[in-house]
């Protein structure tokens, strides 16, 4: 059993490791073809880690990516591909900002209200895809892609000054109005800046995610339904209810992805609020293999590539190099995991064959004796 667990651990680490190595090598090839130094950009990015402000930016970005990836991973555990995390996150943070700016409550209650609104909006938007899948059999991939587009248009309409938006004097930007200070979440002040308070909440949710999936009946039912819906149904689990529940939880967590920045820095939603966070979460969940620890390190890596690459253009390198690397990581993850999976199957078949051969030899020896 110990040997089996060791083999599983090695194979589990082999996939991400192989994917990263391949992604770095392919990025170096791209740099060589472009007649650029294939090593210097990496040196520049790692050198930027010496600055505490970059460290703070990376950590804060990690918290946002971690929440988005957890939302994706919850769907993956149910064999659901929730591509709509980006739309759920943006619509949730936008409406939470509107509600947060419209009222003023005692500090903790104000923050709690904003968080609850974000979770409800995210869950509602993801729940639409869940209802379509459980009642009409519509693929969640198709429905969530369409809901992303609808969310984008809905946000563009809602943020107009004639509706819920505010246009600051002398600016072309549109915002939802500033949240009162009672709705700000205090962070941790360090030399390089402030670590968002909700960043720590994000990491704590990783512990909750691990506990629920690994130590509760609900988590077992969720994983069992994802592995085989028909088998789970036969054992008494309501597969359709689990699908809908998983989509609602995934959407609720997606709605939290905008909270670190909203509560810790901007205190408003505007047209400049980050987009694409949900799609980055898919990359991170794949790279982290849906494990809370793996997702953390994957989020840390992607955040590092985002923030450390900002200084590349000062040295004559395009900062888009990091985007190329992220894209290559996605491709490499898919290929590497399939290679590792096939190798694991062959190794398992070989071990079973060796054990059967050994048992046959023992039987022959017993007969001969």
């Amino acid at each position: 059993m110990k040997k089996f667990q060791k083999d599983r651990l090695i194979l589990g680490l082999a996939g991400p490791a192989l994917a990263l190595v391949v992604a770095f090598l392919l990025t170096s090839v791209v740099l060589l073809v472009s007649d650029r130094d294939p090593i210097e950009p990496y040196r520049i990015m790692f050198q930027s880690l010496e600055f505490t402000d970059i460290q703070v930016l990376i950590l804060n970005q990690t918290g946002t990516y971690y929440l988005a990836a957890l939302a994706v991973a919850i769907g993956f555990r149910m064999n659901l591909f929730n591509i709509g995390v980006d739309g759920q996150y943006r619509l949730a943070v936008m409406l939470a900002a509107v509600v947060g700016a419209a009222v003023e409550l005692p500090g903790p209650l104000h923050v709690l209200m904003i968080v609850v609104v974000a979770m409800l909006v995210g869950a509602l938007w993801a729940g639409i895809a869940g209802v379509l899948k459980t009642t009409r059999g519509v693929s969640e991939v198709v429905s969530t892609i369409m809901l992303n587009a609808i969310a984008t248009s809905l946000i563009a309409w809602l943020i107009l000054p004639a509706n819920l938006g505010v246009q600051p004097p002398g600016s072309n930007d549109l915002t939802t109005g500033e949240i009162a200070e009672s709705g700000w979440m205090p962070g941790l002040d360090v030399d390089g800046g402030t670590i968002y308070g909700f960043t720590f909440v994000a990491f704590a949710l990783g512990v909750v995610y691990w506990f629920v999936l690994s130590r509760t009946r609900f988590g077992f039912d969720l994983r069992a339904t994802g592995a085989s819906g028909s088998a789970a149904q036969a054992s008494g689990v309501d597969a359709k209810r689990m699908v809908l529940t998983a989509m609602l939880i995934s959407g609720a967590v997606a709605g939290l992805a905008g909270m670190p920045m909203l509560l810790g820095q901007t205190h408003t939603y505007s047209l400049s609020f980050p987009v694409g966070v949900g799609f980055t979460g898919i990359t991170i969940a794949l790279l982290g293999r849906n494990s809370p620890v793996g997702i953390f390190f994957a989020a840390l890596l992607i955040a590092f590539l985002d923030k450390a690459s900002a200084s590349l253009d000062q040295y004559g390198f395009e900062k888009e190099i990091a985007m190329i690397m992220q894209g290559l990581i996605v491709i490499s993850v898919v290929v590497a995991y399939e290679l590792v999976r096939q190798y694991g199957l062959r190794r398992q078949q070989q071990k079973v064959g060796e054990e059967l051969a050994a048992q046959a030899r023992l039987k022959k020896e017993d007969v001969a004796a």
Side-chain angles (χ1 to χ4, degrees):
M1 180 62 70
K2 289 182 178 179
K3 188 175 182 181
F4 174 72
Q5 292 176 347
K6 181 180 179 182
D7 288 345
R8 284 190 60 185
L9 178 61
I10 293 174
L11 289 175
L13 294 175
L18 180 60
L20 292 177
V21 169
V22 171
F24 278 101
L25 289 176
L26 290 177
T27 305
S28 298
V29 170
V30 172
L31 290 169
L32 281 172
V33 172
S34 304
D35 198 23
R36 300 294 186 91
D37 189 324
I39 304 298
E40 186 64 13
Y42 304 136
R43 188 193 66 80
I44 294 172
M45 286 193 289
F46 279 105
Q47 191 176 30
S48 68
L49 288 177
E50 300 175 357
F51 302 101
T52 54
D53 58 335
I54 298 296
Q55 296 172 11
V56 171
L57 289 174
I58 291 173
L59 191 59
N60 284 332
Q61 191 66 59
T62 299
T64 297
Y65 284 162
Y66 192 69
L67 288 168
L70 283 182
V72 176
I74 291 169
F76 280 164
R77 287 296 186 127
M78 265 290 296
N79 203 23
L80 297 171
F81 204 167
N82 183 9
I83 303 181
V85 168
D86 200 65
Q88 296 152 19
Y89 137 78
R90 289 186 293 116
L91 186 62
V93 70
M94 187 264 180
L95 291 178
V98 169
V99 174
V103 301
E104 188 170 351
L105 298 170
L109 290 178
H110 200 169
V111 172
L112 179 61
M113 183 195 68
I114 294 171
V115 171
V116 169
V117 169
M119 293 179 67
L120 289 176
V121 173
L124 175 64
W125 206 245
I128 297 173
V131 170
L132 289 174
K133 185 174 181 65
T134 54
T135 60
R136 292 292 181 265
V138 178
S139 169
E140 74 280 0
V141 175
V142 176
S143 59
T144 51
I145 288 176
M146 296 176 67
L147 286 168
N148 275 341
I150 295 172
T152 298
S153 300
L154 184 59
I155 291 170
W157 179 75
L158 288 174
I159 205 170
L160 291 174
N163 298 315
L164 302 176
V166 176
Q167 184 171 5
S171 172
N172 292 326
D173 198 9
L174 296 176
T175 76
T176 55
E178 186 172 7
I179 297 172
E181 193 169 349
S182 58
W184 300 4
M185 190 170 187
L188 178 63
D189 293 326
V190 294
D191 290 340
T194 301
I195 301 174
Y196 302 150
F198 211 85
T199 296
F200 300 103
V201 176
F203 298 149
L205 283 177
V207 179
V208 175
Y209 167 82
W210 166 82
F211 179 81
V212 171
L213 285 181
S214 303
R215 295 291 184 269
T216 66
R217 171 63 185 272
F218 171 79
F220 175 80
D221 289 347
L222 189 146
R223 289 183 285 114
T225 307
S228 176
S230 57
Q233 189 82 32
S235 64
V237 178
D238 188 339
K240 289 186 176 181
R241 182 176 63 84
M242 290 304 298
V243 168
L244 180 58
T245 302
M247 286 300 295
L248 290 172
I249 296 175
S250 178
V253 176
L256 295 178
M259 294 299 99
M261 179 171 284
L262 177 68
L263 299 177
Q265 180 183 345
T266 63
H267 311 302
T268 187
Y269 179 88
S270 68
L271 296 178
S272 58
F273 214 84
V275 298
V277 170
F279 297 109
T280 304
I282 296 174
T283 302
I284 294 169
L286 287 171
L287 184 59
R289 305 204 71 169
N290 303 323
S291 161
V293 177
I295 289 174
F296 169 78
F297 285 109
L300 188 63
L301 171 65
I302 300 301
F304 162 73
L305 292 176
D306 277 355
K307 300 305 179 183
S309 63
S311 61
L312 287 177
D313 53 359
Q314 300 176 14
Y315 298 89
F317 293 94
E318 293 78 7
K319 60 183 180 181
E320 284 74 18
I321 291 173
M323 296 179 63
I324 294 174
M325 187 177 296
Q326 290 182 26
L328 290 174
I329 286 175
V330 176
I331 299 173
S332 302
V333 161
V334 176
V335 176
Y337 284 179
E338 180 60 22
L339 291 175
V340 170
R341 187 186 70 84
Q342 292 180 3
Y343 172 78
L345 287 175
R346 288 196 301 269
R347 185 171 175 82
Q348 188 176 18
Q349 292 169 355
Q350 180 183 0
K351 287 184 175 181
V352 170
E354 292 174 352
E355 290 177 1
L356 291 175
Q359 290 176 6
R361 284 196 303 270
L362 289 174
K363 185 176 293 186
K364 287 181 180 181
E365 292 174 359
D366 291 342
V367 171

